[in-house]
Amino acid sequence: MSHDLQPAETLLLTFKDKEAFVSVDDPIHKDLSTITVHGETLFLSCDETAGIDRLTPDKSGYGNHVHFNLGELVELPDGPDGEMDIEGLAVDGDWIWVCGSHSLKREKPDDDDDPKAALDRMADIDWDENRAFLGRLPLVMEDGAPRPVARDGARRMAHVKQGKKSALKKWLKGDPHLDRFLSIPSKENGLDIEGIAVKGLRVWLGLRGPVLRGRAVILDMEMKVTKNGHLKPRRLADGMRYRKHLINTTGQGVRDLSFDGDDLIVLTGTALAGDGPSEVLRWRDAVADVTSGLVEPAKVETLAELPYRGAVDHPEGIVPWLKPGEWLAVYDSPAPERVKEKPARVLADIWTF
């Protein structure tokens, strides 16, 4: 473990320019929020869109960019162009799981605002209904690459029932640890999902916030598909619909989750707005933990302290790569030297630890 850790390699990711998409306002390659892998195919997402982006190998790295608008596959409560704030993607077999942040957001003031107008703007807290999406879609092979579809024979897309309010927040209401954070915006220690990992119908959700006494929260649910075709967590032996695992992250929140066998890999970062350090943790045999509680310190290993680069290169997604011990990481706010334009390209890092 070293503060001076350097990536073993870089991988060039090539995207279409944002002008190629109707509902994409910001360059996707500069705002990546999560990553997962299916064979040799990468699936990524930008938190400003309502879609999934697919890249496959090309001569320079990964490219052949295809953008899948989820609003064309799923009826979203805020419409196909409403922001989903997708912060979690996970592939399990031939399914891809998608999770929105479920968070509130406070209006961001502009630097050139009148001070009183800026203060008034910051009193505005919004809820985007599409952010409450949690579901899975079948993957089918088409022209040699997987694509998400609404239906593949008996396999059908399924998601947690959506409406004006978040079903997850309904289940968390009254929770002695989390209830009081449900009405607080993201990046202010409010509820904010930023990672998902899946095995079958068991789903782990990593929270950027809240962080409790230096410990991040990972929710663990065992889903079922209802008669109406929705996903819903089963009630466990204690009557709850979820388990709570609190893992010591020395005050950091979760930025991504990924499985390595039965070990859960946890990418951390600041829970609040702004910059901060990032670590990669291994929670050994996380699958075996089937009760709520504090994760035993002996089960958690720090794999790496990623380089801290201030206002740039915020680690947002991590996934096992081609060889054992290799990890592919993508960043929000990439440093200028990572980015190229026309075509839109960005460098991801391949780490070895």
Side-chain angles (χ1 to χ4, degrees):
M1 184 177 68
S2 171
H3 294 281
D4 300 320
L5 187 69
Q6 295 297 319
E9 299 178 61
T10 58
L11 183 68
L12 186 64
L13 309 180
T14 303
F15 295 82
K16 292 179 181 176
D17 296 320
K18 67 183 180 69
E19 289 79 13
F21 307 103
V22 174
S23 56
V24 176
D25 296 326
D26 297 315
I28 290 173
H29 66 304
K30 293 182 179 180
D31 202 12
L32 298 175
S33 60
T34 183
I35 186 172
T36 190
V37 64
H38 182 283
E40 291 189 336
T41 298
L42 293 178
F43 287 104
L44 308 98
S45 191
C46 162
D47 59 13
E48 300 294 331
T49 74
I52 302 171
D53 299 281
R54 185 187 73 192
L55 300 180
T56 54
D58 65 9
K59 292 180 180 179
S60 59
Y62 269 69
N64 310 307
H65 179 204
V66 179
H67 179 79
F68 302 102
N69 189 329
L70 287 177
E72 297 176 1
L73 302 173
V74 181
E75 185 175 346
L76 299 173
D78 199 26
D81 297 331
E83 179 186 316
M84 291 181 73
D85 197 22
I86 296 173
E87 294 285 355
L89 291 176
V91 165
D92 180 63
D94 290 325
W95 296 90
I96 187 166
W97 289 74
V98 182
C99 187
S101 68
H102 288 65
S103 66
L104 298 169
K105 63 178 181 181
R106 187 182 300 278
E107 192 72 24
K108 186 177 180 179
D110 294 326
D111 291 338
D112 56 356
D113 276 347
D114 172 82
K116 176 62 167 60
L119 189 64
D120 291 343
R121 183 191 292 266
M122 291 188 68
D124 185 12
I125 298 175
D126 296 322
W127 165 243
D128 295 326
E129 296 171 19
N130 287 356
R131 290 184 171 215
F133 186 85
L134 172 58
R136 66 174 187 170
L137 297 94
L139 291 172
V140 300
M141 296 301 293
E142 180 180 277
D143 298 326
R147 67 174 292 134
V149 296
R151 181 172 181 175
D152 174 39
R155 299 192 306 147
R156 299 188 181 188
M157 175 273 300
H159 58 81
V160 171
K161 190 174 182 180
Q162 293 187 277
K164 293 290 184 182
K165 297 183 178 180
S166 160
L168 178 63
K169 287 187 176 182
K170 174 184 174 182
W171 299 322
L172 293 175
K173 189 173 178 61
D175 184 280
H177 302 99
L178 303 177
D179 179 87
R180 65 195 65 196
F181 298 97
L182 301 181
S183 60
I184 299 175
S186 63
K187 302 179 181 64
E188 298 177 18
N189 214 34
L191 180 75
D192 188 2
I193 299 171
E194 287 219 7
I196 181 172
V198 179
K199 282 188 178 291
L201 284 171
R202 189 174 172 191
V203 177
W204 289 257
L205 302 176
L207 307 189
R208 175 173 180 167
V211 174
L212 308 175
R213 294 292 294 188
R215 290 172 168 82
V217 181
I218 298 175
L219 300 177
D220 169 7
M221 299 180 291
E222 296 186 7
M223 293 290 187
K224 63 181 180 180
V225 181
T226 68
K227 294 180 180 179
N228 294 328
H230 288 111
L231 289 176
K232 190 173 185 179
R234 298 179 182 275
R235 288 196 182 276
L236 305 173
D238 59 2
M240 303 297 290
R241 295 191 186 274
Y242 57 90
R243 305 178 185 98
K244 283 179 297 189
H245 306 287
L246 272 62
I247 183 169
N248 190 347
T249 55
T250 61
Q252 303 299 303
V254 175
R255 288 302 181 88
D256 201 13
L257 298 176
S258 187
F259 269 112
D260 184 21
D262 286 342
D263 296 350
L264 192 59
I265 304 303
V266 183
L267 176 67
T268 73
T270 178
L272 305 179
D275 316 318
S278 179
E279 294 185 337
V280 183
L281 309 178
R282 179 185 294 275
W283 173 10
R284 295 192 192 92
D285 203 17
V287 173
D289 278 13
V290 292
T291 56
S292 294
L294 303 184
V295 178
E296 299 174 26
K299 297 187 69 173
V300 180
E301 173 190 2
T302 301
L303 294 181
E305 297 177 7
L306 298 183
Y308 172 51
R309 301 193 64 197
V312 299
D313 285 353
H314 303 151
E316 283 284 321
I318 194 166
V319 67
W321 197 225
L322 302 180
K323 300 175 184 177
E326 282 189 345
W327 300 88
L328 181 67
V330 295
Y331 304 87
D332 187 11
S333 303
E337 57 267 27
R338 283 190 185 276
V339 179
K340 299 181 185 298
E341 308 289 353
K342 304 297 181 183
R345 291 171 290 173
V346 67
L347 288 172
D349 283 338
I350 300 171
W351 298 95
T352 302
F353 41 74

